[in-house]
Amino acid sequence: MGGWSQMTKRIAEMGFNAGGGVINWFPGHMAAATRAIRERLRLADLVIEVRDARVPLSSANEDLQQALSSKRRIIALNKKDLANPNIIHRWVQHFELGKQDCLSINAHSKSSVSQLLTLVELKLKEVICKEPTLLVLVVGVPNVGKSALINSIHRIATSRFPVQEKVKHATVGPLPGVTKDIAGYKIANRPSIYVLDTPGVLVPSIPDIETGLRLALTGAIKDSVVGEERIAQYLLAVLNSRRTPLHWDRLANERIRSAPELDKTNADVFPDSTARKRRQLDTSDVLYIKDLAKEVQRTLYLTFKEFEGNLEEEGELESLIDAQLTALRKSCRISPQKSYDEAQAAVSKKLLILFRTGKLGPFILDNLPDISSSINLRKQ
């Protein structure tokens, strides 16, 4: 494990990060949001800290950890459907060894969210006799699926208390110190339990480049801040160093069905990440994406297999990555008329979308800490 940890640290410091340095992304609204969260934390009886299951450590807001450690807390590792199922249970065990409640969830699954709410009610039984109304605060960095979780909680809450259909945001103004503009959903009676939402916030700066790149790769930081090509290069560095392309050997001799006639039809399957509206995928889109993912995996396997250099050498690993990005232009059906920069940008965009949607497979990017780290977590 130590060897891989050193490897990932080296990857984060590779040449494509030259001049990248500390990742700063702290829009003005986040400062106000952080202050509001700290205020509400004092009122909360329990906190659900949502993290991305692909980055269980990197997706923690370090600025809030000290405050959270003094609260009843459940760490919800969301997007478990995108995380390596062979490892995720070991991460849950890691947190539980540190006496920290943890649950891997899929925020889009009603049964998964119901399981989380059952654990919430169980944890609050300890204080039921003390308070007639209890508050549960949901916190997390951007894009960990907090909104999806809140929406699922809303649907479950509405089914339990239909009156909330008329009042979408249950008013919790009468509670001491809680303003009326807080969105809350009642999930239980006797005592009344409200789940409150909070904005997603990051720390003002991320001095550890590796953590910043992992957050960028999973979408917690806007691509424009770090650069899509830089993030894609990091992804390929991780895949190559883990020898992941070798797992796709079955595709080496498989003829991927090419469908150039779908290219125009599917030109906007991968819209700009800032687009607010995304058209519904049809059958041809699904086929296009499936074939594209296979072709990308096949290309990465073949380029990796042909590579005769030393992955331990930074320059040689970078050469492999450059060769892969070039080879992927054909796989991603990028027009040869595009300039070098345009082609690199287009390949990077498609590669990132395939990874983020799980089309390249399930991954966990963080390194599992050793047992001593779990013991230290228990002491916090």
Side-chain angles (χ1 to χ4, degrees):
M1 187 64 69
W4 170 242
S5 179
Q6 289 300 316
M7 174 74 79
T8 56
K9 181 175 177 60
R10 182 175 62 79
I11 289 173
E13 297 170 350
M14 283 175 65
F16 59 77
N17 282 318
V22 174
I23 294 175
N24 292 287
W25 185 53
F26 198 66
H29 73 274
M30 284 196 182
T34 300
R35 289 193 295 271
I37 289 173
R38 289 186 182 280
E39 288 295 322
R40 294 169 193 176
L41 271 176
R42 289 201 287 266
L43 300 168
D45 299 287
L46 184 143
V47 177
I48 299 175
E49 184 187 3
V50 186
R51 299 188 189 182
D52 190 318
R54 296 169 296 178
V55 280
L57 294 181
S58 297
S59 57
N61 186 321
E62 289 301 325
D63 278 7
L64 292 177
Q65 289 309 301
Q66 185 173 357
L68 292 176
S69 64
S70 63
K71 309 291 295 187
R72 289 181 184 80
R73 172 176 56 167
I74 297 172
I75 295 177
L77 299 180
N78 189 30
K79 304 187 182 182
K80 70 174 184 179
D81 53 312
L82 300 178
N84 189 333
N86 299 319
I87 303 176
I88 189 67
H89 69 281
R90 294 173 59 189
W91 277 96
V92 173
Q93 289 174 354
H94 162 70
F95 290 112
E96 289 179 343
L97 280 173
K99 300 299 181 183
Q100 176 60 68
D101 291 289
C102 180
L103 196 65
S104 60
I105 68 167
N106 177 353
H108 295 285
S109 165
K110 181 179 178 180
S111 61
S112 185
V113 176
S114 294
Q115 185 182 1
L116 173 63
L117 294 182
T118 297
L119 180 58
V120 166
E121 292 185 59
L122 181 66
K123 295 299 297 179
L124 285 176
K125 277 187 176 179
E126 304 168 13
V127 291
I128 280 178
C129 59
K130 302 177 184 177
E131 297 289 343
T133 302
L134 302 174
L135 295 182
V136 177
L137 205 61
V138 180
V139 302
V141 303
N143 205 41
V144 291
K146 200 162 58 64
S147 295
L149 175 59
I150 286 294
N151 289 337
S152 291
I153 289 174
H154 180 200
R155 286 191 290 271
I156 293 172
T158 299
S159 67
R160 293 181 181 180
F161 301 95
V163 68
Q164 293 187 89
E165 290 179 345
K166 296 179 181 178
V167 185
K168 292 185 177 180
H169 293 81
T171 303
V172 289
L175 299 171
V178 182
T179 57
K180 294 182 180 181
D181 62 345
I182 295 177
Y185 305 112
K186 188 175 185 179
I187 63 166
N189 227 343
R190 299 180 182 176
S192 297
I193 299 177
Y194 287 90
V195 175
L196 309 183
D197 191 12
T198 61
V201 294
L202 281 168
V203 293
S205 65
I206 306 170
D208 177 43
I209 298 176
E210 185 181 2
T211 298
L213 287 171
R214 287 173 178 169
L215 287 171
L217 181 52
T218 53
I221 298 173
K222 286 184 178 179
D223 289 346
S224 58
V225 174
V226 181
E228 287 178 331
E229 186 176 344
R230 183 183 175 196
I231 303 170
Q233 288 172 320
Y234 173 70
L235 169 60
L236 290 175
V238 171
L239 294 180
N240 290 323
S241 297
R242 293 185 175 186
R243 301 180 181 274
T244 301
L246 291 179
H247 297 160
W248 301 324
D249 60 329
R250 72 190 186 283
L251 300 172
N253 300 314
E254 182 177 332
R255 184 174 178 79
I256 309 299
R257 189 183 64 78
S258 178
E261 70 275 12
L262 296 179
D263 284 358
K264 289 185 178 180
T265 305
N266 294 277
D268 58 345
V269 170
F270 297 94
D272 184 80
S273 58
T274 59
R276 293 186 178 182
K277 294 184 178 180
R278 299 171 184 266
R279 69 176 177 82
Q280 195 72 23
L281 296 182
D282 59 26
T283 303
S284 67
D285 292 334
V286 174
L287 189 61
Y288 175 88
I289 295 171
K290 183 178 179 181
D291 283 352
L292 177 61
K294 282 187 176 181
E295 186 58 45
V296 166
Q297 290 174 320
R298 180 173 178 270
T299 300
L300 293 180
Y301 167 76
L302 292 174
T303 50
F304 186 88
K305 192 71 174 176
E306 293 168 1
F307 176 66
E308 296 180 349
N310 183 358
L311 292 174
E312 301 291 331
E313 293 293 331
E314 180 180 317
E316 295 186 38
L317 178 54
E318 287 185 337
S319 295
L320 170 60
I321 292 171
D322 287 341
Q324 288 174 325
L325 286 173
T326 299
L328 285 172
R329 293 182 196 174
K330 183 177 180 181
S331 307
C332 293
R333 304 164 195 177
I334 305 302
S335 170
Q337 274 73 47
K338 286 186 178 290
S339 68
Y340 174 83
D341 289 342
E342 289 176 328
Q344 291 288 92
V347 168
S348 298
K349 181 185 291 291
K350 290 193 175 185
L351 188 61
L352 292 179
I353 292 177
L354 288 176
F355 170 81
R356 289 167 179 166
T357 54
K359 297 300 184 290
L360 296 182
F363 294 92
I364 293 183
L365 301 172
D366 283 338
N367 304 313
L368 189 69
D370 55 28
I371 295 177
S372 61
S373 298
S374 300
I375 295 173
N376 291 334
L377 179 65
R378 183 188 307 175
K379 292 178 180 178
Q380 290 181 359

